């Protein structure tokens, strides 16, 4: 490795990372990654050596970094985002000795259904089942989970239903487990307005519109959910590639229609959904986080604090941080993962 690359890497990651090669990190372009002087969203770091594994009903695409014998951290993205929400978090955790797994959720990137006959289901329980299947396929007994949006909800579900598989958790926007019954309760008008896309997706016009305009639609969501995040086109387009997945639209539309009770889930997950509908508490060590400029619908931290019955802390992150907190404030997110592991 050249002295120039070593120098750049030291400037980026600090002296604690000097001994870790780019190959070990499983990343390319780290020299262009975020530093304290570079605004988030103004670079194009890329994961390399993406992997595939058959797990449950899927062939799941995922990035991996860090030592094989490290404590496992599984990082879960939301909608409309992808694994690159964790492009700057991953090397920080790998440098700290963690084995980091970053999967594409169903309907994103290189993740594919193994059978054309499998329903393109987006209900909350099935996404958690996917991640448990991924752990089984990779022979991972237990992991620390970190996520936001759909990913935080998935981490919440795993922590609630399979606590033996979850060592600890970092959850942006806190407790996000819901139910179809709870979602029937009307919200105040201002709150309903923030969910405009939920009602759009309930129509066939919305289905067709999302299919035809997913690139621009999701870019609008990025801007409204993170109004102070000045990401560039290259950063957005890197993630937008994952929306070209052939099942993306079907999974997204089903997810939001399922929430309103407009479509059914699969019967095999009914028991899990019944358990989730009771809003189970979470006993694993947890740090919840919230950005000060989150433009997406999200609960107040005080509303969910009592749902976490184990060791718990909440962190508000300032500086104009929006919904995509791991990508907008990667060091704060990585620090939370490292800290919760010590709880």
């Amino acid at each position: 490795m050249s002295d120039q690359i070593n120098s750049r890497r030291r400037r980026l990651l600090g002296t604690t990372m000097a001994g870790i090669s780019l190959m070990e990190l499983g990343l390319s372009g780290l020299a262009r990654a975020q530093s304290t002087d570079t605004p988030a969203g103004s670079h194009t770091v890329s994961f390399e050596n993406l992997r595939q594994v058959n797990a449950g009903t899927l062939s799941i695409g995922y990035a991996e970094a860090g030592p094989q014998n490290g404590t496992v951290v599984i990082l879960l993205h939301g909608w409309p985002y992808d694994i690159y929400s964790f492009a700057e978090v991953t090397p920080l955790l790998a440098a700290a000795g963690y084995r980091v797994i970053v999967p594409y959720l169903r309907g994103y990137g290189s993740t594919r259904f193994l059978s054309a006959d499998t329903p393109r289901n987006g209900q909350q329980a099935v996404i958690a089942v996917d991640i448990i299947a991924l752990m089984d396929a990779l022979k991972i007994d237990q992991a620390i989970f970190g996520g936001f949006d759909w990913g935080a909800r998935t981490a919440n579900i795993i922590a609630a239903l399979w606590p033996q598989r979850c060592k600890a958790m970092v959850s942006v926007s806190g407790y996000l487990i819901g139910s179809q019954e709870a979602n029937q309760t009307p919200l105040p008008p201002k709150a309903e307005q923030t969910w405009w896309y939920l009602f759009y997706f309930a129509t066939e016009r919305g289905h067709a519109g999302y299919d035809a305009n997913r690139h621009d639609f999701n870019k609008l969501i990025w801007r409204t959910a993170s109004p102070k995040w000045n990401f560039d086109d290259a950063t957005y387009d890197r993630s937008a590639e994952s929306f070209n997945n052939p099942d993306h639209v079907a999974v997204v539309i089903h997810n939001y229609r399922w929430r309103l009770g407009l479509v059914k889930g699969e019967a095999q997950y009914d028991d899990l959904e019944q358990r989730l509908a009771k809003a189970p508490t979470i006993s694993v060590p947890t740090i919840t986080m919230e950005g000060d400029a989150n433009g997406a619908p999200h609960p107040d931290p005080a509303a969910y604090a009592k749902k976490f019955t184990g060791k718990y802390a909440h962190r508000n992150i300032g500086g104009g941080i929006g919904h995509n907190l791991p990508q907008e404030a990667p060091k704060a997110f990585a620090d939370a993962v490292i800290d919760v592991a010590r709880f």
Side-chain angles (χ1 to χ4, degrees):
M1 182 176 293
S2 71
D3 291 340
Q4 181 182 20
I5 292 176
N6 276 326
S7 176
R8 290 176 179 173
R9 192 181 64 211
R10 285 194 297 271
R11 288 199 302 271
L12 168 67
L13 302 175
T15 57
T16 60
M17 294 186 66
I20 300 177
S21 71
L22 294 178
M23 182 176 296
E24 286 171 324
L25 288 175
L27 301 169
S28 66
L30 278 174
R32 299 188 301 276
Q34 180 179 344
S35 71
T36 55
D37 299 321
T38 306
S42 63
H43 42 74
T44 54
V45 176
S46 296
F47 287 109
E48 65 179 14
N49 300 324
L50 293 179
R51 305 176 183 186
Q52 293 287 138
V53 65
N54 289 352
T57 62
L58 302 172
S59 171
I60 297 179
Y62 66 100
E64 182 169 350
Q68 285 291 304
N69 62 350
T71 298
V72 178
V73 175
I74 298 177
L75 302 176
L76 301 171
H77 68 82
W79 172 85
Y81 306 94
D82 78 333
I83 65 174
Y84 286 101
S85 290
F86 301 102
E88 285 77 51
V89 172
T90 298
L92 297 175
L93 294 177
Y98 293 93
R99 178 187 176 193
V100 186
I101 308 290
V102 194
Y104 283 111
L105 301 187
R106 57 170 55 200
Y108 294 81
S110 60
T111 293
R112 296 289 187 275
F113 286 87
L114 294 173
S115 171
D117 297 328
T118 303
R120 273 42 179 174
N121 178 0
Q123 71 183 103
Q124 62 178 354
V126 75
I127 301 173
V129 169
D130 291 343
I131 303 305
I132 293 294
L134 173 65
M135 295 177 72
D136 290 343
L138 297 179
K139 296 181 171 54
I140 296 169
D141 292 329
Q142 190 180 58
I144 299 168
F145 287 89
F148 72 106
D149 196 86
W150 289 20
R153 179 177 295 108
T154 301
N156 290 174
I157 292 170
I158 292 171
L161 299 186
W162 297 280
Q164 73 278 11
R165 308 301 296 269
C166 181
K167 176 179 173 64
M169 177 176 63
V170 173
S171 179
V172 176
S173 297
Y175 188 92
L176 297 177
I177 296 173
S179 71
Q180 290 178 316
E181 181 179 356
N183 289 337
Q184 297 304 311
T185 302
L187 301 173
K190 187 175 181 180
E192 294 282 22
Q193 184 182 35
T194 64
W195 283 109
W196 65 271
Y197 53 86
L198 183 72
F199 304 108
Y200 182 66
F201 287 161
T203 69
E204 287 309 303
R205 176 187 174 96
H207 188 168
Y210 187 61
D211 193 11
N213 303 299
R214 71 188 83 169
H215 181 280
D216 291 346
F217 190 104
N218 289 342
K219 194 171 189 177
L220 173 64
I221 297 296
W222 276 40
R223 295 202 182 282
T224 56
S226 299
K228 297 185 178 181
W229 182 30
N230 295 317
F231 60 88
D232 57 25
D233 288 342
T235 297
Y236 175 74
D237 290 341
R238 178 185 61 183
S239 288
E241 286 292 324
S242 72
F243 312 146
N244 293 326
N245 181 294
D247 303 303
H248 177 76
V249 173
V251 170
V252 170
I253 295 298
H254 186 273
N255 176 284
Y256 286 104
R257 290 183 178 182
W258 179 87
R259 296 191 198 193
L260 292 179
L262 301 176
V263 296
K264 294 181 178 180
E266 294 178 75
Q268 68 196 79
Y269 305 118
D270 285 352
D271 178 65
L272 296 179
E273 293 295 354
Q274 289 168 10
R275 293 168 63 187
L276 294 173
K278 297 177 182 179
T281 58
I282 292 173
S283 61
V284 305
T286 299
I287 292 176
T288 58
M289 307 183 76
E290 192 60 79
D292 65 335
N294 187 354
H298 61 279
D300 186 280
Y304 55 69
K306 292 183 179 180
K307 301 303 293 183
F308 300 98
T309 60
K311 190 168 183 180
Y312 171 71
H314 177 77
R315 296 179 179 180
N316 291 311
I317 309 302
I321 302 302
H323 190 59
N324 186 2
L325 192 151
Q327 194 164 0
E328 297 176 60
K331 186 177 184 303
F333 190 89
D335 285 348
V337 172
I338 292 169
D339 291 344
V340 83
R342 299 168 178 159
F343 271 18

